[in-house]
Amino acid sequence: MSARLSAVLAALLLLAGIATPANAATRTYREYVALGDSWTADVVIVPLPTTQYVPFGCAQSARDYPKQVAAALGVPKFFDASCGGATTDDFANPQSGLLFGGTNAPQFAQLTETTDLVTVGIGGNDAGLAGAVSGCINLLPPPLGVPCKPKWVSGGVDRMSENITAAKHKVITAVTEIKQRSPHARVLLVDYLAGIPQSGGCWPFQPVLNSDMEWLGAKLRELNAAVKSAAAATGVEFVDTHSQTIGHDACTSPFTRYVEGLLPISANGLAIAVPFHPNSAGGDAQARIVLSKIRG
C-alpha cells in the first residue's frame, strides 16, 4: 500500500468517526456502573468490607477492581453494585439473605440511559461452581477421602456442564437487558481469574483431591468459555483475565498466587482474603487487565 493511499484511508476513517486505538485510549467516561458477584466485589475481608455502595453482607472490598478502574479513569459518577453471592437473578431483583442480614438493591437499579461504561462479572454462582468448590474440600487422602467429582458426573453426564450451559443463557439475557437500560454504554463482560491449576492439584497444600482439582479446573475453563460465548452472542466486549493470570493459581507460592485457598492469609499483598477468591494481588491484576482493555 502506497503512503498516499494510507494517508487517504486514515483521513477517511477520521472523518467517519471510526475509533483508532489512539482514540480509544483517550476516550473519557462520565458514568460507570460495575455489576457482578464476589469475584468482582471481594478482594480482602481484612481490612473490613466497605458499605459505601452496598450492605456489609456483600463483603465488597474498598479496593476491588471496579474501584481501581474508576479511580484510574477519573470517572465522575461511579457505582459499584457488585455483591458476594450474586446471580443474574440479583441483577433485576433485590438480593436478600446476606451474611449479617441486609438486602442489596437490584444491581440494574444503578443503570441509567446516560451510563456510558459497564463492567460485568457474573455466571459462577448461576452455574453453582462456587458451591461445588466448597463441596470438594477434603482433608483426608485417598482412599479415605471421597472424591467429589462423582457427585456431579454420573452415567456419562456432567451436571456441572449442564449448569454452565444454562448459566450462559442467563448471562446472555442479563447482558441484553443491560444494553436496553443503558443503550449508549460500552459493556465489558469479564471472566474469572485462573485460580485453579491448568492440570493436576496440590493436595494437601490445598485440601482438594488432585483428581477433583483437575475436574474443577476444567469446569472453570468451561465457564469462562461460556462467558466469552455470551459476550459474542450479545455483541459486547469480552475481557480475558484467565489466560493472563495462568501461573498464579491457588497451588502456587503464597507470594505468587492471585487466588487464595482454604486458609486465605495472603502474602501476595498482605491481607486476609475470602477463601477461594482473589487476593489483593489478584484484584490488582483484574484492574490492570480491565483497564488495558478499556484503553485499547
Side-chain angles (χ1 to χ4, degrees), residues 9 27 43 77 99 104-105 111 152 159 162 181 247 282 285:
L9 287 174
R27 179 177 174 181
V43 173
K77 186 177 180 181
L99 188 65
N104 193 32
L111 297 173
W152 291 93
R159 291 190 294 110
E162 293 178 339
R181 290 171 178 263

Side-chain angles (χ1 to χ4, degrees), residues 80-241:
D80 188 348
S82 61
C83 186
T87 68
T88 53
D89 291 340
D90 301 311
F91 280 1
N93 302 288
Q95 182 181 349
S96 58
L98 301 177
L99 188 65
F100 306 114
T103 298
N104 193 32
Q107 295 192 31
F108 279 164
Q110 308 307 325
L111 297 173
T112 71
E113 288 193 356
T114 55
T115 301
D116 55 2
L117 179 64
V118 180
T119 57
V120 191
I122 201 72
N125 293 321
D126 290 89
L129 187 56
V133 171
S134 299
C136 287
I137 294 174
N138 209 320
L139 301 178
L140 298 175
L144 298 176
V146 179
C148 68
K149 179 180 175 180
K151 299 175 185 177
W152 291 93
V153 182
S154 179
V157 177
D158 189 323
R159 291 190 294 110
M160 181 57 69
S161 292
E162 293 178 339
N163 287 0
I164 289 171
T165 298
K168 181 183 79 170
H169 294 297
K170 291 181 179 180
V171 173
I172 289 172
T173 299
V175 173
T176 300
E177 188 162 349
I178 291 169
K179 295 174 69 176
Q180 292 170 349
R181 290 171 178 263
S182 301
H184 307 295
R186 182 180 181 184
V187 182
L188 292 87
L189 192 54
V190 183
D191 71 357
Y192 294 87
L193 294 177
I196 303 176
Q198 293 297 99
S199 62
C202 55
W203 193 96
F205 181 59
Q206 296 296 349
V208 175
L209 298 181
N210 290 355
S211 59
D212 289 337
M213 188 76 87
E214 181 108 22
W215 175 74
L216 288 169
K219 297 304 104 175
L220 177 62
R221 294 190 294 275
E222 192 175 319
L223 173 63
N224 282 337
V227 172
K228 182 177 182 179
S229 178
T234 52
V236 302
E237 296 175 72
F238 172 68
V239 182
D240 175 12
T241 67

Side-chain angles (χ1 to χ4, degrees), residues 64-86:
D64 61 16
Y65 80 79
K67 295 182 183 67
Q68 294 190 50
V69 168
L73 295 176
V75 181
K77 186 177 180 181
F78 166 66
F79 198 100
D80 188 348
S82 61
C83 186

